[in-house]
Amino acid sequence: MKAQARHILVKTAAEAEQLKQRIAKGEAFDVLAKKFSTCPSGKRGGDLGEVRPGQMVGAIDQVIFKKALREIHGPIKSKFGYHLVQVFYRD
């Protein structure tokens, strides 16, 4: 199984929630990822590319392989901080 997803990683749940609200109001996920994400993927608009089960930390893996497609999920806490995750497809 594989999936294609993108995410935004920030330090606090409040920051993640603020960004989620901005996306809901129409701001572009990739633009916000480039500006605010602390993950190297932020430079690519948060694009994680194709991932397989076990490649990401557990909490993110669960979202990528079990939650609804195209929705913004989060904030999700991991040892790295708080994530917003969007999954495009899985097969």
Side-chain angles (χ1 to χ4, degrees):
M1 184 185 280
K2 63 186 175 191
Q4 201 265 326
R6 62 184 177 177
H7 82 141
I8 297 173
L9 174 63
V10 291
K11 295 275 183 229
T12 68
E15 228 181 322
E17 195 54 56
Q18 254 182 345
L19 290 172
K20 188 175 184 177
Q21 288 172 13
R22 288 174 67 172
I23 293 164
K25 289 178 183 166
E27 287 191 60
F29 189 106
D30 60 334
V31 172
L32 293 174
K34 284 176 184 171
K35 192 168 184 179
F36 295 104
S37 186
T38 60
C39 179
S41 70
K43 291 180 182 74
R44 299 185 306 276
D47 186 8
L48 296 169
E50 276 192 356
V51 295
R52 297 184 181 279
Q55 269 188 275
M56 309 301 292
V57 293
I60 304 307
D61 224 40
Q62 289 293 311
V63 171
I64 291 175
F65 292 100
K66 299 209 183 320
K67 300 285 185 181
L69 297 176
R70 302 219 173 261
E71 290 180 20
I72 306 296
H73 299 285
I76 302 140
K77 187 176 184 349
S78 79
K79 64 183 179 182
F80 300 105
Y82 292 85
H83 307 254
L84 296 178
V85 179
Q86 185 178 36
V87 183
F88 292 105
Y89 71 83
R90 69 177 76 90
D91 60 18

